[in-house]
Amino acid sequence: MRRSFRGQVSINRGDPMQASDIAILVLTRSNSEEDIRNVLLHQSESGLGLEYAGSDKMDICTEVEVLMFLRPRSVHLLHLFEFRTHVLDIKFNDRLDWEVENLVVQSSHGDITFTSTKWGFSHAATRASYDHEFLDGSDEASPLASNNVTLSSTSGDITGYYVAKGHVKARSEDGWIGLALIPQRDGTVNLESISVYTVSGTIHVEVAIPYWPSQPHTHITEIHTVFGELWAYIPHGSFTNLTSDEAIMAVIIPYGTINPNDPSEIHTYSKSGYTHVRLTETDPDSLEGGYDPLFNTISNHRVEDGKLELIYPKTWFGILEARIDHGPLIFHSSALRDIERGEGYVKAKRGHKGDSRLDACVQTGDMSIQLGL
């Protein structure tokens, strides 16, 4: 069916003077006038359905473009905003100025995209930039925001810019997932969880760290890919778990906590390939009136067959234990006490204070650890 029928659903900022909150325009093109009649529309009070009743003939090509226009308003709280397609791409343009409680977007074989003209990211993610209009309260710069975002595609890509609010969930069976999380229009972040999963595809998740608010963050991050690489440049909340059967490249930034014993866990697992994890020092401004989680963080890094490279900051204090069954172990650190060394093994306590725990294990491969340098 995909060969003879294709198209896109685009969500756009409408006219403030349009008659209804949502206006929809459907455009159909085909090299067969008869096949246009196979595009059927079903309308109800709560939704619009589009059905293609044609056949998968190689010599017929029918395209449909669904243009949705949202009437902008400063506050528009909709309980559920749902999009489901089989083959159509779904594209959300920016400046929508809408807020919904639950956003569900699903396309079996199409791409899902959220665009932004206000933000730009480099691959390093450290040079994120934005147009200052985005954070000045202007309606013109307000994207779509939702307390719960669920995105899924069987074989399409999921990419774009998403407001860091509530729960953000993306899943793909076979496709690229690239998420860039940005603050809300007023510069705040109320993130509860990040959940990203794909069976076969690369995952790239990053945030606008230079503009991330310096405050305690307690969100949970779960990012998993089975047959694909994982790239992450993310803030650490209470729990971060990154797993891949292939490579993991991650930079993790912790933030101050409200209480000294607030939960803080970091886990990575790779079946094979290269794993590089750099844990930075805690954001200094977030420590004002709070506590440093690097005194109380539980970390576990495991690689079955490959290379593990860990870089931890000078502000991490606690006990480290690292083991490699087959291969070299390179370990450099400072301010160590109670050191135990053996073939492919090291255990030591860093500093006189701090109850963090770092466990690293490689079955076969290489291990390199830089702690507090």
mmCIF file of all heavy atoms in Angstrom, residues 234-260:
data_model
loop_
_atom_site.group_PDB
_atom_site.id
_atom_site.type_symbol
_atom_site.label_atom_id
_atom_site.label_comp_id
_atom_site.label_asym_id
_atom_site.label_seq_id
_atom_site.Cartn_x
_atom_site.Cartn_y
_atom_site.Cartn_z
ATOM 1 N N ILE A 234 23.003 14.489 28.640
ATOM 2 C CA ILE A 234 21.770 14.592 29.413
ATOM 3 C C ILE A 234 22.032 15.023 30.852
ATOM 4 O O ILE A 234 23.090 14.769 31.417
ATOM 5 C CB ILE A 234 21.029 13.232 29.425
ATOM 6 C CG1 ILE A 234 21.976 12.117 29.891
ATOM 7 C CG2 ILE A 234 20.458 12.920 28.055
ATOM 8 C CD1 ILE A 234 21.319 10.764 30.021
ATOM 9 N N PRO A 235 21.027 15.644 31.461
ATOM 10 C CA PRO A 235 21.098 15.934 32.895
ATOM 11 C C PRO A 235 20.731 14.690 33.696
ATOM 12 O O PRO A 235 19.858 13.927 33.304
ATOM 13 C CB PRO A 235 20.056 17.042 33.078
ATOM 14 C CG PRO A 235 19.036 16.748 32.024
ATOM 15 C CD PRO A 235 19.791 16.172 30.853
ATOM 16 N N HIS A 236 21.431 14.512 34.800
ATOM 17 C CA HIS A 236 21.122 13.396 35.683
ATOM 18 C C HIS A 236 20.096 13.840 36.713
ATOM 19 O O HIS A 236 20.209 14.911 37.305
ATOM 20 C CB HIS A 236 22.399 12.915 36.383
ATOM 21 C CG HIS A 236 22.169 11.862 37.420
ATOM 22 N ND1 HIS A 236 21.564 10.658 37.128
ATOM 23 C CD2 HIS A 236 22.428 11.842 38.758
ATOM 24 C CE1 HIS A 236 21.481 9.928 38.232
ATOM 25 N NE2 HIS A 236 22.003 10.621 39.221
ATOM 26 N N GLY A 237 19.057 13.019 36.880
ATOM 27 C CA GLY A 237 18.072 13.279 37.913
ATOM 28 C C GLY A 237 18.303 12.336 39.084
ATOM 29 O O GLY A 237 19.366 12.338 39.707
ATOM 30 N N SER A 238 17.313 11.510 39.388
ATOM 31 C CA SER A 238 17.479 10.532 40.466
ATOM 32 C C SER A 238 17.972 9.184 39.949
ATOM 33 O O SER A 238 18.568 8.403 40.705
ATOM 34 C CB SER A 238 16.155 10.339 41.206
ATOM 35 O OG SER A 238 15.152 9.840 40.322
ATOM 36 N N PHE A 239 17.743 8.906 38.646
ATOM 37 C CA PHE A 239 18.090 7.591 38.103
ATOM 38 C C PHE A 239 18.362 7.731 36.609
ATOM 39 O O PHE A 239 17.546 8.280 35.869
ATOM 40 C CB PHE A 239 16.937 6.608 38.342
ATOM 41 C CG PHE A 239 17.215 5.203 37.913
ATOM 42 C CD1 PHE A 239 17.834 4.304 38.758
ATOM 43 C CD2 PHE A 239 16.851 4.767 36.642
ATOM 44 C CE1 PHE A 239 18.087 2.999 38.366
ATOM 45 C CE2 PHE A 239 17.096 3.466 36.233
ATOM 46 C CZ PHE A 239 17.718 2.573 37.097
ATOM 47 N N THR A 240 19.521 7.228 36.166
ATOM 48 C CA THR A 240 19.889 7.224 34.750
ATOM 49 C C THR A 240 20.345 5.824 34.373
ATOM 50 O O THR A 240 21.250 5.271 35.001
ATOM 51 C CB THR A 240 21.016 8.240 34.457
ATOM 52 O OG1 THR A 240 20.565 9.560 34.782
ATOM 53 C CG2 THR A 240 21.412 8.194 32.988
ATOM 54 N N ASN A 241 19.719 5.265 33.319
ATOM 55 C CA ASN A 241 20.052 3.911 32.877
ATOM 56 C C ASN A 241 20.177 3.909 31.361
ATOM 57 O O ASN A 241 19.208 4.199 30.651
ATOM 58 C CB ASN A 241 18.970 2.926 33.328
ATOM 59 C CG ASN A 241 19.343 1.485 33.020
ATOM 60 O OD1 ASN A 241 20.517 1.164 32.859
ATOM 61 N ND2 ASN A 241 18.362 0.626 32.931
ATOM 62 N N LEU A 242 21.371 3.584 30.849
ATOM 63 C CA LEU A 242 21.649 3.558 29.417
ATOM 64 C C LEU A 242 22.126 2.169 29.036
ATOM 65 O O LEU A 242 23.101 1.663 29.606
ATOM 66 C CB LEU A 242 22.731 4.591 29.050
ATOM 67 C CG LEU A 242 22.567 6.007 29.606
ATOM 68 C CD1 LEU A 242 23.770 6.866 29.236
ATOM 69 C CD2 LEU A 242 21.283 6.636 29.109
ATOM 70 N N THR A 243 21.461 1.523 28.057
ATOM 71 C CA THR A 243 21.863 0.188 27.645
ATOM 72 C C THR A 243 21.849 0.082 26.127
ATOM 73 O O THR A 243 20.994 0.658 25.460
ATOM 74 C CB THR A 243 20.948 -0.898 28.232
ATOM 75 O OG1 THR A 243 19.635 -0.760 27.693
ATOM 76 C CG2 THR A 243 20.879 -0.803 29.744
ATOM 77 N N SER A 244 22.804 -0.684 25.596
ATOM 78 C CA SER A 244 22.893 -0.934 24.161
ATOM 79 C C SER A 244 23.710 -2.186 23.938
ATOM 80 O O SER A 244 24.650 -2.470 24.683
ATOM 81 C CB SER A 244 23.538 0.258 23.440
ATOM 82 O OG SER A 244 23.785 -0.053 22.078
ATOM 83 N N ASP A 245 23.364 -2.928 22.896
ATOM 84 C CA ASP A 245 24.198 -4.054 22.507
ATOM 85 C C ASP A 245 25.421 -3.594 21.726
ATOM 86 O O ASP A 245 26.305 -4.399 21.419
ATOM 87 C CB ASP A 245 23.394 -5.049 21.657
ATOM 88 C CG ASP A 245 22.529 -5.957 22.522
ATOM 89 O OD1 ASP A 245 22.512 -5.748 23.752
ATOM 90 O OD2 ASP A 245 21.888 -6.866 21.971
ATOM 91 N N GLU A 246 25.464 -2.302 21.398
ATOM 92 C CA GLU A 246 26.598 -1.751 20.663
ATOM 93 C C GLU A 246 27.200 -0.588 21.458
ATOM 94 O O GLU A 246 27.296 -0.659 22.669
ATOM 95 C CB GLU A 246 26.152 -1.346 19.259
ATOM 96 C CG GLU A 246 25.641 -2.531 18.436
ATOM 97 C CD GLU A 246 25.313 -2.168 16.998
ATOM 98 O OE1 GLU A 246 25.759 -1.108 16.528
ATOM 99 O OE2 GLU A 246 24.588 -2.952 16.347
ATOM 100 N N ALA A 247 27.599 0.488 20.803
ATOM 101 C CA ALA A 247 28.346 1.558 21.445
ATOM 102 C C ALA A 247 27.454 2.476 22.269
ATOM 103 O O ALA A 247 26.295 2.708 21.930
ATOM 104 C CB ALA A 247 29.103 2.366 20.398
ATOM 105 N N ILE A 248 28.044 3.020 23.343
ATOM 106 C CA ILE A 248 27.406 4.045 24.161
ATOM 107 C C ILE A 248 28.385 5.199 24.307
ATOM 108 O O ILE A 248 29.526 5.015 24.735
ATOM 109 C CB ILE A 248 27.026 3.512 25.558
ATOM 110 C CG1 ILE A 248 25.997 2.389 25.450
ATOM 111 C CG2 ILE A 248 26.504 4.643 26.438
ATOM 112 C CD1 ILE A 248 25.667 1.743 26.779
ATOM 113 N N MET A 249 27.922 6.398 23.958
ATOM 114 C CA MET A 249 28.703 7.617 24.138
ATOM 115 C C MET A 249 27.847 8.567 24.962
ATOM 116 O O MET A 249 26.807 9.029 24.490
ATOM 117 C CB MET A 249 29.064 8.237 22.793
ATOM 118 C CG MET A 249 29.838 7.321 21.864
ATOM 119 S SD MET A 249 31.532 7.024 22.411
ATOM 120 C CE MET A 249 32.249 8.632 22.083
ATOM 121 N N ALA A 250 28.268 8.873 26.185
ATOM 122 C CA ALA A 250 27.393 9.636 27.075
ATOM 123 C C ALA A 250 28.169 10.658 27.888
ATOM 124 O O ALA A 250 29.261 10.380 28.394
ATOM 125 C CB ALA A 250 26.639 8.694 28.007
ATOM 126 N N VAL A 251 27.572 11.825 28.006
ATOM 127 C CA VAL A 251 28.004 12.854 28.945
ATOM 128 C C VAL A 251 26.827 13.104 29.874
ATOM 129 O O VAL A 251 25.712 13.392 29.419
ATOM 130 C CB VAL A 251 28.419 14.155 28.237
ATOM 131 C CG1 VAL A 251 28.802 15.217 29.256
ATOM 132 C CG2 VAL A 251 29.560 13.904 27.268
ATOM 133 N N ILE A 252 27.064 12.990 31.184
ATOM 134 C CA ILE A 252 26.002 13.078 32.176
ATOM 135 C C ILE A 252 26.323 14.211 33.131
ATOM 136 O O ILE A 252 27.423 14.256 33.706
ATOM 137 C CB ILE A 252 25.849 11.745 32.931
ATOM 138 C CG1 ILE A 252 25.537 10.610 31.934
ATOM 139 C CG2 ILE A 252 24.763 11.837 33.985
ATOM 140 C CD1 ILE A 252 25.576 9.219 32.553
ATOM 141 N N ILE A 253 25.367 15.116 33.314
ATOM 142 C CA ILE A 253 25.569 16.297 34.148
ATOM 143 C C ILE A 253 24.664 16.208 35.373
ATOM 144 O O ILE A 253 23.438 16.249 35.250
ATOM 145 C CB ILE A 253 25.274 17.599 33.369
ATOM 146 C CG1 ILE A 253 26.154 17.704 32.124
ATOM 147 C CG2 ILE A 253 25.472 18.819 34.251
ATOM 148 C CD1 ILE A 253 25.542 17.132 30.873
ATOM 149 N N PRO A 254 25.232 16.091 36.580
ATOM 150 C CA PRO A 254 24.397 16.051 37.784
ATOM 151 C C PRO A 254 24.054 17.455 38.286
ATOM 152 O O PRO A 254 24.729 18.435 37.968
ATOM 153 C CB PRO A 254 25.289 15.324 38.801
ATOM 154 C CG PRO A 254 26.683 15.598 38.340
ATOM 155 C CD PRO A 254 26.639 15.798 36.848
ATOM 156 N N TYR A 255 22.990 17.508 39.079
ATOM 157 C CA TYR A 255 22.523 18.757 39.684
ATOM 158 C C TYR A 255 22.322 18.540 41.178
ATOM 159 O O TYR A 255 22.129 17.408 41.641
ATOM 160 C CB TYR A 255 21.233 19.228 39.022
ATOM 161 C CG TYR A 255 21.451 19.765 37.633
ATOM 162 C CD1 TYR A 255 21.620 18.898 36.556
ATOM 163 C CD2 TYR A 255 21.514 21.128 37.388
ATOM 164 C CE1 TYR A 255 21.849 19.381 35.268
ATOM 165 C CE2 TYR A 255 21.744 21.626 36.108
ATOM 166 C CZ TYR A 255 21.906 20.747 35.054
ATOM 167 O OH TYR A 255 22.138 21.223 33.788
ATOM 168 N N GLY A 256 22.386 19.631 41.929
ATOM 169 C CA GLY A 256 22.250 19.534 43.368
ATOM 170 C C GLY A 256 20.934 18.934 43.804
ATOM 171 O O GLY A 256 19.923 18.999 43.089
ATOM 172 N N THR A 257 20.939 18.331 44.986
ATOM 173 C CA THR A 257 19.743 17.693 45.532
ATOM 174 C C THR A 257 19.239 18.477 46.743
ATOM 175 O O THR A 257 19.971 19.248 47.358
ATOM 176 C CB THR A 257 20.018 16.245 45.939
ATOM 177 O OG1 THR A 257 21.075 16.223 46.922
ATOM 178 C CG2 THR A 257 20.454 15.426 44.734
ATOM 179 N N ILE A 258 17.973 18.255 47.077
ATOM 180 C CA ILE A 258 17.373 18.958 48.214
ATOM 181 C C ILE A 258 17.866 18.386 49.531
ATOM 182 O O ILE A 258 18.159 19.119 50.482
ATOM 183 C CB ILE A 258 15.841 18.880 48.121
ATOM 184 C CG1 ILE A 258 15.346 19.583 46.847
ATOM 185 C CG2 ILE A 258 15.190 19.505 49.354
ATOM 186 C CD1 ILE A 258 13.860 19.472 46.620
ATOM 187 N N ASN A 259 17.993 17.054 49.597
ATOM 188 C CA ASN A 259 18.427 16.366 50.812
ATOM 189 C C ASN A 259 19.719 15.602 50.549
ATOM 190 O O ASN A 259 19.966 15.166 49.424
ATOM 191 C CB ASN A 259 17.344 15.402 51.305
ATOM 192 C CG ASN A 259 16.027 16.106 51.577
ATOM 193 O OD1 ASN A 259 15.951 17.003 52.409
ATOM 194 N ND2 ASN A 259 14.976 15.698 50.857
ATOM 195 N N PRO A 260 20.547 15.389 51.571
ATOM 196 C CA PRO A 260 21.843 14.727 51.346
ATOM 197 C C PRO A 260 21.728 13.271 50.916
ATOM 198 O O PRO A 260 22.637 12.751 50.270
ATOM 199 C CB PRO A 260 22.540 14.843 52.711
ATOM 200 C CG PRO A 260 21.429 15.029 53.692
ATOM 201 C CD PRO A 260 20.364 15.807 52.970
#
